[in-house]
Amino acid sequence: MNVRFSPFFLVHEFGQCAGKILRLSTRAISVKTHASPLKREKPKTGILMLNMGGPTSTSQVHQYLLRIMTDRDMIQLPFQSKLGPWIAQRRTPEVQKKYSEIGGGSPILEWTNKQGELLCTKLDEISPETAPHKYYVAFRYADPLTEDTLNEIEQDGAERTVIFSQYPQYSCATSGSSFNAIYRHYKNKELPQDMKWSIIDRWSTHPLYINTIAQRIMDELAHFPNDKRNEVMILFSAHSLPLKAVNRGDPYPSEIGATVQLVMQKLNFCNPYSLVWQSKVGPLPWLEPYTDNALKNYVKQGKKNFLLVPVAFVNEHIETLHEMDIEYCQELAEEIGVENIRRSAAPNDHPLFIDALADIVYNHLRSEQTINPKFLTRCPHCVNKTCEQSKKWFSQICRP
């Protein structure tokens, strides 16, 4: 079995997939990236980058899990105030072991800092009238926490803050939880004076984002043997979602599907492909087919070559570096007799992806629409009162 884990590459050309995979020039980069020193001048435009976050050391794992397990936007448990902390405590050693196996912590903060730095550098160049731009990282479950970052923005006194979700596809459990955290922070607190607010809540079909994923796929297909390349099964793997949330009308599954369809269209449907789901938690039914079960059953059908594609993650983290790389590409692949399996890199700081982020923000800054009507539309069967209150609040603060 030939197993290889993807390094992170900067790709300088964009070729066509249909049987003509080019060997593109690349250069490896390190995930140990850091933001540049904070700008001394007052930022005119703040870019608030929302994401789940991750523990940067094993000592932070318990607190990270505790925040997740007690967040009812993310997961609903009976007797959550008691059961949530118990589950977090019980799972801590296992999760710490996984983080130890990928280097001791999550690289999400380092990648987000790198993305934010490159984004603001580009925005300063292409949009001088809204410069200087400064990015702020707001994580839901790990430092820097959303409420601390909001305090930093207030101290800096930016004229305008763009709340920029780093989840390309919207889900009430992820994006929604981050937006609700902002609402809760200001629920009983006065908003900063003379600051304009606006929201970028989803961007699952942006052409440059689609191109980034397509290029990442091409990079990996180029490494399969010539006689196997066209039969490689491309498995787009996204974090699963409880069917209870899907049935409420959560838009996440359809937005994931839209991304996958456009990526394959960009690639001229060069290979067989399927959308699968990973990272199920708990006993309740979640979206299927699960990634591991799909691999097992495709092997039974005679397929032996696979490419796993993280389709909902903008940077490397535990679910790509451990679940996909170690649990699927290494352990499971060996167990079930896979011939060749690879995993495409997350967008990370690919030049196309940085261009995508800059283009999304650039066009948003010039748009008269400060908030997406879809964002203000609740799921048909929404029962979350905080969601209702949050959306009403955002509709009031995000005025042209």
Side-chain angles (χ1 to χ4, degrees), residues 108-227:
I108 291 181
L109 179 57
E110 292 173 310
W111 278 119
T112 306
N113 279 333
K114 184 67 172 179
Q115 291 161 342
E117 180 182 354
L118 293 171
L119 166 64
C120 287
T121 298
K122 187 169 287 290
L123 285 174
D124 285 348
E125 295 172 358
I126 66 177
S127 185
E129 63 272 26
T130 57
H133 303 83
K134 179 180 176 181
Y135 75 92
Y136 300 84
V137 178
F139 285 159
R140 186 68 184 91
Y141 306 115
D143 293 332
L145 292 171
T146 302
E147 51 268 33
D148 296 330
T149 302
L150 290 171
N151 290 333
E152 182 185 350
I153 292 176
E154 288 185 39
Q155 293 172 4
D156 286 352
E159 295 180 18
R160 177 175 181 174
T161 296
V162 177
I163 305 172
F164 188 10
S165 174
Q166 296 304 290
Y167 303 103
Q169 302 88 5
Y170 187 97
S171 173
C172 301
T174 53
S175 319
S177 181
S178 286
F179 282 107
N180 287 348
I182 296 173
Y183 160 69
R184 289 192 188 95
H185 179 75
Y186 285 115
K187 184 177 179 180
N188 298 308
K189 182 180 178 181
E190 187 175 347
L191 278 167
Q193 296 295 318
D194 302 321
M195 183 187 293
K196 295 181 180 180
W197 297 81
S198 61
I199 290 173
I200 302 171
D201 66 308
R202 69 196 78 199
W203 35 280
S204 63
T205 59
H206 189 278
L208 291 173
Y209 169 58
I210 299 301
N211 288 357
T212 303
I213 301 176
Q215 181 66 72
R216 290 299 201 195
I217 291 173
M218 289 174 56
D219 292 344
E220 297 308 315
L221 285 176
H223 292 283
F224 282 86
N226 290 337
D227 61 335

Side-chain angles (χ1 to χ4, degrees), residues 76-356:
Q76 293 83 45
L77 299 169
F79 310 106
Q80 189 147 355
S81 62
K82 300 291 185 182
L83 186 57
W86 181 82
I87 294 174
Q89 184 67 41
R90 187 168 179 267
R91 291 193 64 198
T92 292
E94 175 191 355
V95 177
Q96 284 178 326
K97 181 176 182 294
K98 291 182 178 182
Y99 275 106
S100 296
E101 292 173 352
I102 65 168
S106 172
I108 291 181
L109 179 57
E110 292 173 310
W111 278 119
T112 306
N113 279 333
K114 184 67 172 179
Q115 291 161 342
E117 180 182 354
L118 293 171
L119 166 64
C120 287
T121 298
K122 187 169 287 290
L123 285 174
D124 285 348
E125 295 172 358
I126 66 177
S127 185
E129 63 272 26
T130 57
H133 303 83
K134 179 180 176 181
Y135 75 92
Y136 300 84
V137 178
F139 285 159
R140 186 68 184 91
Y141 306 115
D143 293 332
L145 292 171
T146 302
E147 51 268 33
D148 296 330
T149 302
L150 290 171
N151 290 333
E152 182 185 350
I153 292 176
E154 288 185 39
Q155 293 172 4
D156 286 352
E159 295 180 18
R160 177 175 181 174
T161 296
V162 177
I163 305 172
F164 188 10
S165 174
Q166 296 304 290
Y167 303 103
Q169 302 88 5
Y170 187 97
S171 173
C172 301
T174 53
S175 319
S177 181
S178 286
F179 282 107
N180 287 348
I182 296 173
Y183 160 69
R184 289 192 188 95
H185 179 75
Y186 285 115
K187 184 177 179 180
N188 298 308
K189 182 180 178 181
E190 187 175 347
L191 278 167
Q193 296 295 318
D194 302 321
M195 183 187 293
K196 295 181 180 180
W197 297 81
S198 61
I199 290 173
I200 302 171
D201 66 308
R202 69 196 78 199
W203 35 280
S204 63
T205 59
H206 189 278
L208 291 173
Y209 169 58
I210 299 301
N211 288 357
T212 303
I213 301 176
Q215 181 66 72
R216 290 299 201 195
I217 291 173
M218 289 174 56
D219 292 344
E220 297 308 315
L221 285 176
H223 292 283
F224 282 86
N226 290 337
D227 61 335
K228 303 290 185 181
R229 188 173 299 150
N230 290 337
E231 63 186 58
V232 172
M233 170 62 72
I234 301 174
L235 294 181
F236 292 90
S237 188
H239 197 297
S240 190
L241 193 68
L243 289 184
K244 187 175 180 180
V246 177
N247 294 336
R248 281 200 304 266
D250 195 295
Y252 175 76
S254 62
E255 294 187 11
I256 290 285
T259 300
V260 170
Q261 181 69 13
L262 288 176
V263 169
M264 290 310 300
Q265 182 176 311
K266 183 69 181 179
L267 295 174
N268 296 319
F269 299 96
C270 60
N271 283 68
Y273 69 99
S274 185
L275 172 57
V276 294
W277 309 90
Q278 67 182 87
S279 309
K280 175 185 182 295
V281 178
L284 295 178
W286 286 46
L287 269 173
E288 297 187 45
Y290 302 134
T291 305
D292 54 351
N293 289 338
L295 284 165
K296 293 174 186 177
N297 287 313
Y298 275 130
V299 168
K300 289 178 182 178
Q301 295 176 18
K303 298 185 183 301
K304 297 288 188 177
N305 296 275
F306 298 93
L307 173 59
L308 299 186
V309 180
V311 69
F313 315 114
V314 299
N315 36 44
E316 307 296 346
H317 65 310
I318 190 72
E319 286 160 12
T320 60
L321 298 174
H322 196 282
E323 189 170 9
M324 297 180 80
D325 284 355
I326 297 176
E327 296 173 40
Y328 300 157
C329 288
Q330 180 177 340
E331 298 171 349
L332 180 60
E334 183 173 357
E335 175 189 333
I336 62 179
V338 168
E339 284 183 11
N340 299 281
I341 187 167
R342 301 178 68 83
R343 195 266 295 176
S344 66
N348 299 325
D349 65 346
H350 191 296
L352 281 172
F353 184 62
I354 301 304
D355 286 345

